Amino acid sequence: MQAAQERLADMRVVLVCALLSLLSLSHACPKECNCNSNTKVVDCRGRGLYDIPRRLHPDTQELYLQDNRIRGLGSMAFREIPLVRILDLSNNSITSVSPTALLGLRTLQRLSLAYNSLRELDKRLLGPIRSLSHLDLSHNSLWGLPGAIGDSLRNLSHLGLAHNRLTRLDRSLLEALTRLDSLTLRSNPWRCDCQLIGLKLWLETYLFKGGVVDEVLCSQPEEMKDKDLQKVPYQLFHTCMTTSYHYLFANIHHLENERLLRGHTHGNHAHPSSHAIHVPMAMGEGFGGGGGGGGGGLPECEPKQRQRPVNLRHAIATVIITGVVCGIVCLMMLAAAVYGCAYAAIMAKYQRELKKNEELAAAQGAAHAKADEKEPLENAIA
């Protein structure tokens, strides 16, 4: 009986060892990569890979896959390494990325998809990631970024968008990046029209706060080609300014309506229906009235975007500065008018005096002529 128990114990030890060996093999380093168990870094650079390597250790914190031939990222492509912090996929041939490709990577901090062939990004791609601080999308073929993606980038400190096909950038996306320190936008075919004035205004505020950006060179229209958007004077956007001011005042009015609505809601919960009726009417007035429930007043040169809180102090400062500039212009015009009137009056007086002097000289000449005629006649009589 005792011998049987000893044999059973030995079998259990062997079984446990076998399970442990299988477990270690299941998470062994892929043969295509170099793994460092101390730093938890997996290096698979330049190995000619067409897909994400399997059997990665779940404790992996850094994965380098640049300089390969990966063409796409499927759903939950990195489910084996939920703790990864750095993921580099630059210089591959990636053309498509599943909206759930990064699902589960809640600790991801740095992501590089540079030097690929991406044309668009799904707004759900970065949804579950809240810790991302560095995102490099440069050297792709992106036409734009979805505005909703900004909700996932609130902790972003660097964003690389250079060398793409961007013609405009949603201002609401940029305003969501409250912690952004550096931004690259060069070598994009920017169309510097009314659609880009929002980017120009945001860039001025961003640079004033100490942000770093390279350059935004206009490609279109022809008269703006190769001009730096930051140095283009606002006079060249004069056709956009009226609608921009309307949009500004509409946003101020909308902010005031929201404040009043919150006050009514907290103060009295007995009549919610009356508040629900009052707000759309106020918004309709703020956006210029008319049909469409207040949406008809949105300017053509600004995108119709999701409602966001407006910084009231900046809005009031903008209005004050605009008023001061308009006042200075009016004073200059008044001074020019006064100068013109004074100059005209002086010239008229000068002409009158000149004509009077000419008439007086003519009269004196005639008098001298008569005197000369009388003198020979008197001599003759004498």
Side-chain angles (χ1 to χ4, degrees), residues 335-369:
V338 171
Y339 174 79
C341 292
Y343 179 78
I346 293 171
M347 290 301 298
K349 183 178 179 181
Y350 173 76
Q351 292 293 336
R352 287 196 299 271
E353 291 180 354
L354 182 62
K355 186 176 181 181
K356 185 177 179 180
N357 291 335
E358 289 178 351
E359 291 177 352
L360 183 60
Q364 290 177 353
H368 285 302

Side-chain angles (χ1 to χ4, degrees), residues 2 47 66 70 79-80 138 158 168 192 207 331 344 346:
Q2 186 176 0
R47 303 303 174 92
Q66 58 264 47
I70 300 172
R79 58 184 175 273
E80 294 182 350
S138 58
H158 172 79
R168 59 182 298 269
C192 297
L207 292 172
L331 289 175
I346 293 171

Side-chain angles (χ1 to χ4, degrees), residues 124-185:
R124 298 168 291 175
L125 178 64
L126 302 174
I129 305 172
R130 302 294 177 180
S131 56
L132 197 64
S133 62
H134 184 104
L135 178 60
D136 191 356
L137 299 171
S138 58
H139 293 272
N140 278 282
S141 300
L142 294 172
W143 293 91
L145 292 178
I149 204 173
D151 296 334
S152 305
L153 304 178
R154 295 189 179 276
N155 293 318
L156 203 67
S157 60
H158 172 79
L159 176 60
L161 294 172
H163 296 275
N164 278 283
R165 297 183 181 179
L166 300 173
T167 58
R168 59 182 298 269
L169 202 54
D170 195 343
R171 185 178 177 182
S172 64
L173 166 62
L174 296 171
E175 288 177 343
L177 309 180
T178 55
R179 299 186 179 182
L180 194 66
D181 294 328
S182 60
L183 175 65
T184 59
L185 297 171

Side-chain angles (χ1 to χ4, degrees), residues 53-100:
R54 298 302 177 191
R55 295 191 303 170
L56 293 167
H57 199 280
D59 290 338
T60 300
Q61 294 190 4
E62 299 181 19
L63 177 59
Y64 298 97
L65 290 166
Q66 58 264 47
D67 305 323
N68 282 291
R69 301 175 183 177
I70 300 172
R71 296 181 178 273
L73 300 178
S75 178
M76 299 186 68
F78 304 96
R79 58 184 175 273
E80 294 182 350
I81 49 173
L83 302 179
V84 67
R85 294 184 298 106
I86 299 176
L87 181 58
D88 194 334
L89 290 156
S90 59
N91 199 24
N92 278 277
S93 304
I94 300 174
T95 57
S96 63
V97 178
S98 170
T100 57

Side-chain angles (χ1 to χ4, degrees), residues 231-288:
K231 299 178 182 178
V232 174
Y234 278 101
Q235 287 80 352
L236 297 181
F237 291 100
H238 62 89
T239 57
C240 312
M241 298 309 288
T242 303
T243 50
S244 294
Y245 291 143
H246 289 169
Y247 184 67
L248 172 64
F249 287 116
N251 277 324
I252 296 174
H253 195 81
H254 171 64
L255 180 64
E256 182 66 17
N257 288 335
E258 285 188 341
R259 186 183 65 80
L260 293 174
L261 176 61
R262 286 195 296 268
H264 288 312
T265 304
H266 291 299
N268 184 7
H269 295 280
H271 302 285
S273 59
S274 62
H275 301 317
I277 294 173
H278 173 73
V279 173
M281 291 177 63
M283 288 182 66
E285 294 170 0
F287 283 98

